[in-house]
Amino acid sequence: MKRIDRKRLEALQKVLAMSQALAKDIEIASEQRVETIKTAKPTEAGKLDITYSGKTALRALFNHLDGLAYIMRFVAVEYAQELRVQIPDQEQLALQELRATKDGRPAQPRLSPLEHLKLALQTFPALFGIELALDLSTEHAKAFLALVEVRNEMARPETLEQLSGKDIQSLWIPGSSWYLAQVNRLLSLCAQQIPDSELTFPESELPDYQHTERRTAGSTGDDKAVKSLRTPEHIKKAFELLVGDTSRSMGVSTKMAGKDDLQATYGQFGLRNLMRTVLSEVDTTIAIAAFVLSASPERSDLAMTDQDVENLRGRGDLDQKLLEVTNLWSAELGEQKEKTKGGKKWELFRQALKVRDRLTYPKAPKELRVILDEASVILGAQDWLREHTVLLTIDPEKWPKAAPEPGE
């Protein structure tokens, strides 16, 4: 085998190994989703368990996408010189910043997983002398794009329906199948450029599917059913759902550890899922609080400007953003208590952010392993988060009364 082909094979094997490692979480999450649907009781708690199983699968899917995109970009930079591929210097700096966690300077805004994958496709296939773009026009691709929409709504919900991840169950099989087939196609096309690589990829078969456009809440005449996060009742319920999801992730972690061990396949999935859920709660808590505090017909008198909202959604350390939004909420709507940085739990939260970044942007499959000490870090981070979420209550006296009708 020629040296250039040997180097291409090395690069492809690194990406393939990462894809396979990340795919295990999708496999287990899908398995748990099916089991939960079959065994959940027809109660409110059972419905929430099913909803959470869908969210778990969705997070595993987009964690695969983010991790795959990162390793493709990382490997492209690593092998670019040897394979005579031109990659801008800023690409290497961008990769370093994704993993340069919280030294008191702003981190770059995170790309959405789909945009991240498109960026990776600009560099990695070039190592093999090919170009590749995603065909997003097919019926199954539309299901995947709808899952992207669901993910975005869950991350920045404006209604309880969006927070619940509605439509995951109907979109999951066609959408996730399409994505995994695209990964297979990418790796197969790269392997075909390497003589005698001996790598084979079976043809992916997609289920029959005809896409139906999603009905977004409030846009189809069903406004009465919309549970807007502009009302105290629904806001309280939203925070309860987030806390409930994190509690369920603890249960999943315990269940998975019972299947083998915390350091074995299922146990590791449970710990990674716990980390994803806890940090997802942080992100979504900040998003909901910023939405509630932002100007609206119901809350036009708040001190939070549009720029304040964008600052919370953009650059900056997650702990700082949580601190700022909690203190502003407490001053505007709550008990006027102020939180500050510092202490053991805050330090654990900062450590958890480093673990999260490593799990999201791994350089090798071994970086996906969560050791027992890091399990304690996750729990400490959750404790620091909870010290803030308990302050996100609404004093009825501070919530504006409905404006009187004209003539009253």
Side-chain angles (χ1 to χ4, degrees), residues 1-16 71-72 74-85 123-129 190-191 193-197 199:
M1 182 180 285
K2 295 180 180 178
R3 186 174 186 279
I4 187 172
D5 293 326
R6 189 166 63 250
K7 289 299 179 181
R8 282 176 169 172
L9 182 59
E10 286 179 12
L12 181 58
Q13 286 174 330
K14 288 184 178 182
V15 172
L16 175 59
I71 191 65
M72 287 167 61
F74 181 78
V75 168
V77 169
E78 182 182 1
Y79 285 85
Q81 185 173 355
E82 289 186 280
L83 296 177
R84 300 174 185 176
V85 173
T123 56
F124 182 72
L127 298 181
F128 305 86
C190 292
Q193 314 310 312
I194 309 171
D196 305 320
S197 72
L199 292 176

Side-chain angles (χ1 to χ4, degrees), residues 85-358:
V85 173
Q86 293 292 324
I87 294 180
D89 292 340
Q90 58 263 37
E91 171 69 354
Q92 185 166 356
L93 295 175
L95 289 174
Q96 291 172 350
E97 195 168 337
L98 283 174
R99 289 282 299 262
T101 309
K102 325 307 180 241
D103 296 322
R105 59 183 177 79
Q108 61 170 293
R110 290 171 179 267
L111 291 170
S112 70
L114 183 57
E115 292 305 313
H116 197 186
L117 181 59
K118 289 179 180 178
L119 183 60
L121 290 176
Q122 294 176 15
T123 56
F124 182 72
L127 298 181
F128 305 86
I130 61 174
E131 295 182 359
L132 184 64
L134 297 173
D135 180 3
L136 298 172
S137 65
T138 68
E139 295 301 297
H140 293 82
K142 292 175 183 177
F144 174 77
L145 290 176
L147 285 176
V148 173
E149 288 181 1
V150 172
R151 174 194 175 274
N152 293 341
E153 290 171 357
M154 285 169 50
R156 293 185 179 181
E158 297 183 0
T159 68
L160 282 179
E161 290 84 356
Q162 292 176 340
L163 182 60
S164 72
K166 70 188 186 76
D167 299 334
I168 290 178
Q169 305 300 352
S170 61
L171 296 167
W172 173 251
I173 292 177
S176 62
S177 299
W178 177 84
Y179 166 71
L180 293 173
Q182 297 309 300
V183 174
N184 226 22
R185 171 172 165 262
L186 163 67
L187 299 177
S188 177
L189 286 173
C190 292
Q192 290 170 22
Q193 314 310 312
I194 309 171
D196 305 320
S197 72
E198 299 183 358
L199 292 176
T200 59
F201 299 86
E203 191 72 23
S204 300
E205 292 188 14
L206 299 179
D208 292 336
Y209 178 71
Q210 184 67 39
H211 185 66
T212 302
E213 291 300 320
R214 297 177 64 224
R215 292 172 53 181
T216 55
S219 64
T220 58
D222 60 348
D223 300 74
K224 291 183 180 179
V226 175
K227 298 176 180 177
S228 170
L229 299 184
R230 294 290 194 190
T231 65
E233 177 188 0
H234 298 150
I235 295 166
K236 179 182 178 183
K237 181 64 175 178
F239 289 137
E240 289 175 350
L241 288 174
L242 289 175
V243 173
D245 280 355
T246 297
S247 177
R248 285 181 177 82
S249 72
M250 289 287 295
V252 170
S253 181
T254 300
K255 178 182 177 182
M256 293 299 99
K259 283 181 174 288
D260 42 29
D261 181 81
L262 280 176
Q263 293 300 300
T265 302
Y266 280 89
Q268 283 291 294
F269 163 78
L271 289 176
R272 286 191 292 270
N273 179 61
L274 177 60
M275 173 64 78
R276 285 194 287 264
T277 306
V278 170
L279 273 300
S280 175
E281 182 187 344
V282 178
D283 284 324
T284 310
T285 295
I286 293 170
I288 291 175
F291 175 72
V292 173
L293 291 166
S294 60
S296 71
E298 299 90 340
R299 296 289 307 161
S300 59
D301 59 333
L302 279 179
M304 195 171 195
T305 65
D306 291 343
Q307 187 59 51
D308 292 329
V309 176
E310 286 307 308
N311 289 342
L312 286 170
R313 289 174 173 173
R315 292 172 174 263
D317 295 352
L318 201 59
D319 58 323
Q320 181 64 35
K321 291 196 287 187
L322 180 61
L323 191 68
E324 289 177 4
V325 79
T326 301
N327 287 338
L328 182 57
W329 181 292
S330 185
E332 293 287 336
L333 297 173
E335 302 175 3
Q336 296 188 315
K337 294 181 180 179
E338 186 170 345
K339 299 293 293 183
T340 59
K341 291 181 180 179
K344 180 64 175 178
K345 293 177 182 177
W346 172 70
E347 291 175 359
L348 290 172
F349 186 90
R350 299 274 288 189
Q351 291 177 41
L353 295 179
K354 294 182 180 181
V355 177
R356 188 272 305 271
D357 287 352
R358 191 194 76 223

